[in-house]
Coordinates of all heavy atoms in Angstrom, one line a residue:
T265 N 95.9 89.4 119.1 CA 94.7 88.8 119.7 C 95.0 87.5 120.4 O 94.2 86.6 120.5 CB 93.6 88.5 118.6 OG1 94.2 87.7 117.6 CG2 93.1 89.8 118.0
S266 N 96.3 87.3 120.9 CA 96.7 86.1 121.5 C 96.2 85.8 122.8 O 96.2 84.7 123.3 CB 98.3 86.1 121.6 OG 98.7 87.2 122.5
G267 N 95.7 86.8 123.5 CA 95.2 86.6 124.9 C 96.3 86.6 125.9 O 96.2 86.5 127.1
G268 N 97.6 86.8 125.4 CA 98.8 86.8 126.3 C 99.1 88.2 126.8 O 98.2 89.1 126.7
P269 N 100.3 88.4 127.3 CA 100.7 89.7 127.9 C 100.6 90.9 126.9 O 100.4 92.0 127.3 CB 102.1 89.5 128.4 CG 102.4 88.1 128.2 CD 101.3 87.3 127.5
S270 N 100.7 90.6 125.6 CA 100.7 91.7 124.7 C 99.4 91.7 124.0 O 99.2 92.3 122.9 CB 101.9 91.6 123.7 OG 101.8 90.4 123.0
D271 N 98.3 91.0 124.5 CA 97.0 91.0 123.9 C 96.6 92.5 123.7 O 96.7 93.4 124.5 CB 96.0 90.4 124.9 CG 94.7 90.1 124.2 OD1 94.7 89.6 123.1 OD2 93.6 90.4 124.9
A272 N 96.0 92.7 122.5 CA 95.3 94.0 122.1 C 96.4 95.0 121.8 O 96.0 96.2 121.5 CB 94.4 94.5 123.1
R273 N 97.6 94.7 121.8 CA 98.7 95.7 121.4 C 98.6 95.9 119.9 O 98.3 95.0 119.1 CB 100.1 95.1 121.7 CG 101.2 96.0 121.3 CD 102.5 95.3 121.7 NE 103.6 96.3 121.6 CZ 104.8 96.1 122.0 NH1 105.1 94.9 122.5 NH2 105.7 97.0 121.9
T274 N 98.8 97.2 119.5 CA 98.8 97.6 118.1 C 100.3 97.6 117.7 O 101.0 98.4 118.1 CB 98.2 98.9 117.8 OG1 98.6 99.8 118.8 CG2 96.7 98.8 117.8
I275 N 100.7 96.6 116.9 CA 102.1 96.4 116.6 C 102.3 97.0 115.1 O 101.8 96.4 114.2 CB 102.5 94.8 116.6 CG1 102.1 94.3 117.9 CG2 104.0 94.7 116.2 CD1 102.1 92.7 117.9
G276 N 103.1 98.1 115.2 CA 103.4 98.7 113.9 C 104.8 98.3 113.4 O 105.7 98.3 114.2
D277 N 104.8 97.9 112.1 CA 106.2 97.6 111.6 C 106.9 98.8 111.2 O 106.7 99.4 110.2 CB 106.0 96.6 110.4 CG 107.3 96.0 110.0 OD1 108.4 96.4 110.4 OD2 107.2 95.0 109.3
R278 N 107.8 99.2 112.1 CA 108.6 100.5 111.9 C 109.9 100.3 111.3 O 110.8 101.2 111.2 CB 108.6 101.2 113.2 CG 107.3 101.6 113.8 CD 107.3 102.0 115.2 NE 108.0 103.2 115.4 CZ 108.6 103.6 116.5 NH1 108.6 102.8 117.5 NH2 109.2 104.7 116.6
R279 N 110.2 99.0 110.8 CA 111.5 98.8 110.2 C 111.7 99.5 108.9 O 110.7 99.9 108.3 CB 111.7 97.3 110.0 CG 111.7 96.5 111.3 CD 111.8 95.0 111.0 NE 110.5 94.5 110.4 CZ 110.3 93.3 110.0 NH1 111.3 92.3 110.3 NH2 109.2 92.9 109.5
E280 N 112.9 99.7 108.5 CA 113.2 100.4 107.3 C 112.6 99.7 106.1 O 112.1 100.3 105.1 CB 114.7 100.6 107.1 CG 115.0 101.9 106.3 CD 116.4 102.2 106.5 OE1 116.9 102.3 107.7 OE2 117.1 102.4 105.5
H281 N 112.6 98.4 106.1 CA 112.1 97.6 105.0 C 111.0 96.6 105.5 O 111.3 95.4 105.6 CB 113.2 96.8 104.3 CG 114.3 97.8 103.7 ND1 114.0 98.6 102.7 CD2 115.6 98.0 104.2 CE1 115.1 99.4 102.5 NE2 116.1 99.0 103.3
P282 N 109.8 97.0 105.8 CA 108.8 96.2 106.3 C 108.4 95.1 105.3 O 108.5 95.3 104.1 CB 107.6 97.1 106.6 CG 107.9 98.4 105.9 CD 109.4 98.4 105.6
E283 N 108.0 94.0 105.8 CA 107.6 92.9 104.8 C 106.3 93.1 104.2 O 106.1 92.8 103.0 CB 107.6 91.5 105.6 CG 109.0 91.0 105.8 CD 109.1 90.2 107.1 OE1 108.1 89.6 107.5 OE2 110.3 90.2 107.6
K284 N 105.4 93.7 104.9 CA 104.0 93.8 104.4 C 103.7 95.4 104.0 O 104.2 96.2 104.6 CB 102.9 93.3 105.4 CG 103.1 91.8 105.7 CD 102.1 91.4 106.6 CE 102.3 89.9 107.0 NZ 101.6 89.5 108.2
A285 N 102.8 95.5 103.1 CA 102.4 96.9 102.6 C 101.7 97.6 103.8 O 101.0 96.9 104.6 CB 101.5 96.8 101.4
P286 N 101.8 98.9 103.8 CA 101.1 99.7 104.9 C 99.6 99.5 104.8 O 99.0 99.4 103.7 CB 101.5 101.1 104.6 CG 102.6 101.1 103.6 CD 102.6 99.8 102.9
N287 N 98.9 99.4 105.9 CA 97.4 99.3 105.9 C 96.8 100.4 106.8 O 95.6 100.6 106.8 CB 97.0 98.0 106.5 CG 97.5 97.6 107.9 OD1 98.4 98.3 108.3 ND2 96.9 96.7 108.5
V288 N 97.7 101.3 107.4 CA 97.2 102.3 108.3 C 98.0 103.6 108.2 O 99.3 103.4 108.1 CB 97.2 101.8 109.8 CG1 96.7 102.8 110.8 CG2 96.5 100.5 110.0
E289 N 97.4 104.7 108.2 CA 98.2 105.9 108.4 C 98.2 106.2 109.9 O 97.2 106.4 110.6 CB 97.5 107.1 107.7 CG 97.4 107.1 106.2 CD 98.9 107.4 105.7 OE1 99.6 108.2 106.3 OE2 99.1 106.9 104.6
V290 N 99.4 106.1 110.5 CA 99.5 106.2 111.9 C 100.0 107.6 112.3 O 101.0 108.2 111.8 CB 100.6 105.2 112.5 CG1 100.7 105.3 114.0 CG2 100.2 103.8 112.1
C291 N 99.2 108.2 113.2 CA 99.6 109.6 113.6 C 100.8 109.5 114.6 O 100.7 108.8 115.6 CB 98.4 110.3 114.3 SG 97.0 110.6 113.3
L292 N 101.8 110.1 114.3 CA 103.0 110.1 115.1 C 103.4 111.4 115.8 O 104.1 111.5 116.7 CB 104.2 109.5 114.4 CG 104.1 108.0 114.1 CD1 105.4 107.5 113.4 CD2 103.8 107.1 115.3
E293 N 103.0 112.5 115.2 CA 103.2 113.8 115.7 C 102.0 114.7 115.6 O 101.2 114.5 114.8 CB 104.4 114.5 114.9 CG 105.7 114.0 115.2 CD 106.8 114.6 114.2 OE1 106.5 115.7 113.6 OE2 107.8 113.9 114.0
V294 N 101.9 115.6 116.7 CA 100.7 116.4 116.7 C 101.1 117.9 117.0 O 102.0 118.0 117.9 CB 99.6 115.9 117.7 CG1 100.1 115.8 119.1 CG2 98.4 116.8 117.6
D295 N 100.4 118.8 116.4 CA 100.7 120.2 116.7 C 99.7 120.5 117.9 O 98.6 121.0 117.6 CB 100.4 121.1 115.5 CG 100.8 122.6 115.8 OD1 100.8 123.0 116.9 OD2 100.9 123.3 114.8
S296 N 100.1 120.2 119.1 CA 99.1 120.2 120.2 C 98.6 121.6 120.5 O 97.4 121.7 120.8 CB 99.7 119.5 121.4 OG 101.0 119.6 121.5
E297 N 99.5 122.6 120.3 CA 99.0 123.9 120.7 C 97.9 124.3 119.7 O 96.9 124.9 120.2 CB 100.2 124.9 120.5 CG 100.2 125.9 121.6 CD 101.5 126.8 121.4 OE1 102.6 126.3 121.7 OE2 101.3 127.9 121.0
R298 N 98.1 124.1 118.4 CA 97.2 124.5 117.4 C 95.8 123.7 117.6 O 94.7 124.3 117.5 CB 97.7 124.3 116.0 CG 97.1 125.2 115.0 CD 98.0 125.5 113.8 NE 98.5 124.2 113.2 CZ 97.7 123.6 112.2 NH1 96.6 124.1 111.9 NH2 98.2 122.5 111.7
F299 N 96.0 122.4 117.8 CA 94.8 121.6 118.0 C 94.0 122.0 119.2 O 92.8 122.3 119.2 CB 95.1 120.1 118.1 CG 93.9 119.3 118.6 CD1 92.7 119.2 117.9 CD2 93.9 118.8 119.9 CE1 91.6 118.6 118.4 CE2 92.8 118.2 120.4 CZ 91.7 118.0 119.7
V300 N 94.7 122.1 120.4 CA 93.9 122.5 121.6 C 93.2 123.8 121.5 O 92.1 124.0 121.9 CB 94.9 122.4 122.9 CG1 94.2 122.9 124.2 CG2 95.4 121.0 123.1
S301 N 93.9 124.8 120.9 CA 93.2 126.1 120.8 C 92.0 126.0 119.8 O 91.0 126.6 120.1 CB 94.2 127.2 120.4 OG 94.6 127.1 119.2
H302 N 92.0 125.2 118.8 CA 90.9 125.0 117.9 C 89.8 124.3 118.7 O 88.6 124.7 118.6 CB 91.4 124.2 116.7 CG 90.3 124.1 115.6 ND1 89.3 123.2 115.6 CD2 90.0 124.9 114.5 CE1 88.6 123.4 114.5 NE2 88.9 124.4 113.9
F303 N 90.2 123.2 119.4 CA 89.2 122.5 120.2 C 88.4 123.5 121.2 O 87.2 123.5 121.3 CB 89.9 121.4 121.0 CG 89.1 120.8 122.1 CD1 88.1 119.9 121.8 CD2 89.3 121.1 123.4 CE1 87.3 119.3 122.8 CE2 88.5 120.6 124.4 CZ 87.5 119.7 124.1
L304 N 89.3 124.3 121.9 CA 88.6 125.2 122.9 C 87.7 126.3 122.2 O 86.7 126.6 122.8 CB 89.7 125.9 123.7 CG 90.6 125.1 124.6 CD1 91.8 125.8 125.1 CD2 89.8 124.6 125.7
K305 N 88.0 126.6 120.9 CA 87.1 127.5 120.3 C 85.8 126.9 119.9 O 84.8 127.6 119.9 CB 87.9 128.0 119.0 CG 87.2 129.1 118.2 CD 88.2 129.7 117.1 CE 87.3 130.5 116.2 NZ 88.1 130.9 115.0
Y306 N 85.8 125.6 119.6 CA 84.6 125.1 119.0 C 83.9 124.1 119.9 O 82.7 123.6 119.5 CB 84.9 124.4 117.6 CG 85.1 125.4 116.5 CD1 86.4 125.7 116.1 CD2 84.0 126.2 116.1 CE1 86.6 126.6 115.1 CE2 84.3 127.2 115.1 CZ 85.5 127.4 114.6 OH 85.7 128.3 113.6

Side-chain angles (χ1 to χ4, degrees):
T265 54
S266 63
S270 59
D271 192 48
R273 181 178 192 174
T274 43
I275 304 165
D277 193 341
R278 299 164 67 205
R279 292 175 296 181
E280 209 165 311
H281 302 292
E283 279 148 35
K284 295 180 185 164
N287 57 346
V288 180
E289 288 288 329
V290 181
C291 298
L292 289 186
E293 284 172 23
V294 58
D295 186 340
S296 25
E297 220 178 287
R298 204 157 58 83
F299 163 69
V300 174
S301 69
H302 189 272
F303 166 78
L304 292 169
K305 180 168 174 197
Y306 287 109

